[in-house]
């Protein structure tokens, strides 16, 4: 049985009030269920499972936005929004994080702002505020009930799209070093070797759970901490050739923004006419976050996970909207339910029976 029990029926309650009524009675037990020995391993596993993509996405955002939003902003947003969401949301199994579609949108937005000589962060902040407003309207109006018409096919296609964006961005970042004039050939080749080694180790350990070797507890440990072991091994392998100058991420010396700007974005730097026009891309981002958030929660609430507490589609969408507004004002990346990390969170907190393809939660 899973450590965290939710509803076996993959239904969508009718409105925010019903979400709160069905989830408040479980709020105390959510904290009690966390007092379990397996949670310690899950915490360590999820720390590495969240910090690795946060650093990766932060690095890509730093490149896409010329340092306007970087690694420190992504890590800080992941920590801040993760804590607030886990406390105030109705579905604490959901993990917030950066996603590929939002990364692509932010990169395109920065290019447009540079092309038309517009201040990027004020435009970004206004779009985020409009997005938050639209999400609140969608949450209050109960638009998440539309998830009841979605099928398993929709879930799989969406999860596949997210995975493809992850893979594409990773491969693009590694291969972009080869024709670059700023990266030596030896550094580009060594970076490729470390990237392939990281993937190979992580993939091998992830599939090791169903192998016949060693004890079950050892296999589970190696599989759960596969990404962390792979990253640490690659970092250690980097020091085997200290003479190769690998490019590193731009990080401030202390707790400050990557570019040295103030934390609070100046909304007044954008004319009010343009601030109003930001509602158009804000509606597009709201639709993207709406689908990303609800489909991820729907996947978590799948009957195959055998969860027993009620879902919280509408209320959690409002919580995400408030966090989007907060991140916009601080110039932090927008975060939403991260599909892969949320699924890993559910599995990390679950007990399974059987092995291989016959394993059940």
């Amino acid at each position: 049985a899973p450590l965290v029990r939710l509803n076996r029926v993959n239904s969508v309650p009718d409105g925010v009030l019903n979400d709160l009524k069905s989830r408040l009675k479980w709020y105390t037990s959510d904290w009690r269920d966390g007092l379990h020995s397996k949670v310690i391993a899950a915490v360590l596993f999820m720390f590495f499972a969240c910090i690795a993509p946060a650093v990766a996405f932060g690095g890509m955002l730093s490149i896409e936005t010329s340092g306007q939003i970087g690694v420190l902003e992504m890590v800080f947003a992941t920590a801040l929004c993760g804590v607030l969401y886990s406390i105030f949301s109705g579905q604490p199994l959901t993990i917030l994080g950066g996603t590929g579609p939002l990364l692509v949108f932010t990169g395109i937005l920065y290019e447009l702002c540079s092309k038309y000589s517009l201040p990027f962060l004020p435009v970004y902040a206004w779009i985020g505020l409009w997005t938050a407003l639209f999400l609140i309207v969608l949450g209050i109006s109960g638009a998440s009930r539309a998830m009841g018409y979605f099928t398993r096919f929709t879930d799989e296609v969406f999860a596949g799209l997210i995975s493809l964006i992850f893979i594409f961005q990773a491969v693009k970042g590694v291969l972009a070093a080869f024709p670059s004039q700023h990266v030596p050939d030896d550094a580009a080749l060594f970076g490729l070797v470390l990237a392939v080694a990281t993937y190979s180790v992580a993939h091998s350990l992830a599939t090791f759970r169903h192998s016949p070797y060693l004890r079950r507890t050892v296999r589970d440990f190696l599989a759960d901490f596969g990404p962390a072991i792979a990253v640490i091994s690659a970092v250690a392998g980097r020091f085997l050739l200290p003479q190769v100058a690998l490019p590193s991420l731009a990080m401030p010396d202390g707790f400050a923004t990557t570019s040295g700007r103030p934390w609070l974005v100046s909304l007044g730097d954008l004319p009010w006419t343009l601030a109003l026009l930001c509602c158009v891309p804000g509606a597009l981002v709201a639709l993207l976050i709406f689908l990303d958030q609800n489909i991820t929660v729907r996947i978590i609430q799948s009957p195959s996970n055998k969860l027993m507490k009620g879902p919280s589609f509408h209320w959690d969408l409002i919580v995400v909207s408030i966090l989007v507004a907060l991140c916009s004002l601080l110039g932090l990346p927008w975060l939403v339910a991260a599909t892969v990390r949320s699924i890993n969170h559910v599995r990390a907190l679950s007990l399974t029976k059987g092995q291989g393809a016959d394993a059940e939660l």
Side-chain angles (χ1 to χ4, degrees):
L3 295 177
V4 183
R5 300 180 297 274
L6 298 176
N7 196 345
R8 292 177 182 271
V9 181
N10 192 17
S11 60
V12 181
D14 187 14
V16 176
L17 292 180
N18 284 341
D19 277 353
L20 293 175
K21 290 179 181 178
S22 63
R23 289 296 300 163
L24 282 177
K25 63 180 180 181
W26 298 107
Y27 188 78
T28 303
S29 69
D30 285 342
W31 292 90
R32 289 200 306 265
D33 290 340
L35 302 177
H36 194 283
S37 58
K38 189 174 178 63
V39 173
I40 299 176
V43 168
L44 295 175
F45 165 64
M46 290 308 302
F47 170 78
F48 287 102
C50 292
I51 193 66
V55 172
F57 271 87
M60 288 187 284
L61 270 177
S62 181
I63 296 174
E64 296 289 339
T65 63
S66 299
Q68 295 287 328
I69 301 176
V71 176
L72 192 141
E73 286 88 348
M74 176 61 80
V75 174
F76 177 51
T78 302
L80 176 64
C81 295
V83 171
L84 294 178
Y85 186 86
S86 63
I87 294 176
F88 296 104
S89 71
Q91 177 49 282
L93 289 177
T94 306
I95 299 293
L96 299 187
T99 61
L102 291 179
L103 171 64
V104 173
F105 179 89
T106 304
I108 295 175
L109 177 63
Y110 181 79
E111 291 180 1
L112 292 175
C113 290
S114 300
K115 181 179 180 180
Y116 295 103
S117 301
L118 297 175
F120 167 68
L121 285 178
V123 173
Y124 178 85
W126 275 109
I127 292 176
L129 293 178
W130 280 110
T131 299
L133 177 61
F134 291 141
L135 289 175
I136 290 176
V137 173
L138 290 172
I140 294 177
S141 62
S144 296
R145 289 194 297 268
M147 291 297 106
Y149 298 99
F150 281 46
T151 64
R152 177 69 178 269
F153 176 78
T154 308
D155 301 340
E156 297 294 342
V157 169
F158 189 82
L161 173 63
I162 299 299
S163 300
L164 285 177
I165 293 177
F166 264 98
I167 296 171
F168 174 78
Q169 292 294 338
V171 174
K172 176 184 175 182
V174 173
L175 298 182
F178 283 92
S180 176
Q181 298 178 353
H182 305 286
V183 181
D185 292 339
D186 58 346
L189 180 59
F190 192 33
L192 176 61
V193 172
L194 292 177
V196 173
T198 303
Y199 166 77
S200 300
V201 173
H203 181 266
S204 299
L205 293 178
T207 58
F208 192 70
R209 186 191 306 272
H210 307 304
S211 70
Y213 306 107
L214 302 179
R215 292 181 178 271
R216 177 68 182 272
T217 54
V218 177
R219 297 199 305 269
D220 289 342
F221 174 83
L222 293 176
D224 290 342
F225 290 93
I229 295 173
V231 171
I232 294 175
S233 300
V235 172
R238 184 262 177 276
F239 294 100
L240 295 176
L241 293 175
Q243 63 272 23
V244 179
L246 288 177
S248 58
L249 295 173
M251 292 289 291
D253 295 332
F255 183 71
T257 57
T258 303
S259 62
R261 63 171 176 84
W263 280 105
L264 193 63
V265 177
S266 178
L267 299 176
D269 291 346
L270 193 68
W272 67 271
T273 52
L274 294 178
L276 292 177
L277 289 176
C278 286
C279 68
V280 178
L284 298 177
V285 178
L287 179 60
L288 181 62
I289 293 179
F290 174 80
L291 292 175
D292 208 341
Q293 172 73 23
N294 283 292
I295 291 179
T296 299
V297 175
R298 174 185 162 85
I299 293 174
I300 292 177
Q301 293 291 154
S302 171
S304 62
N305 290 333
K306 299 181 180 179
L307 307 177
M308 297 177 64
K309 296 178 185 176
S312 179
F313 285 88
H314 313 283
W315 169 248
D316 287 359
L317 189 63
I318 293 178
V319 174
V320 168
S321 69
I322 296 173
L323 295 178
V324 168
L326 177 62
C327 290
S328 301
L329 294 174
L330 296 177
L332 302 177
W334 300 317
L335 303 184
V336 69
T339 307
V340 177
R341 277 154 279 181
S342 298
I343 294 174
N344 286 335
H345 190 207
V346 174
R347 290 195 171 275
L349 289 172
S350 300
L351 302 175
T352 60
K353 60 181 180 180
Q355 296 183 3
D358 298 329
E360 296 181 357
L361 290 178

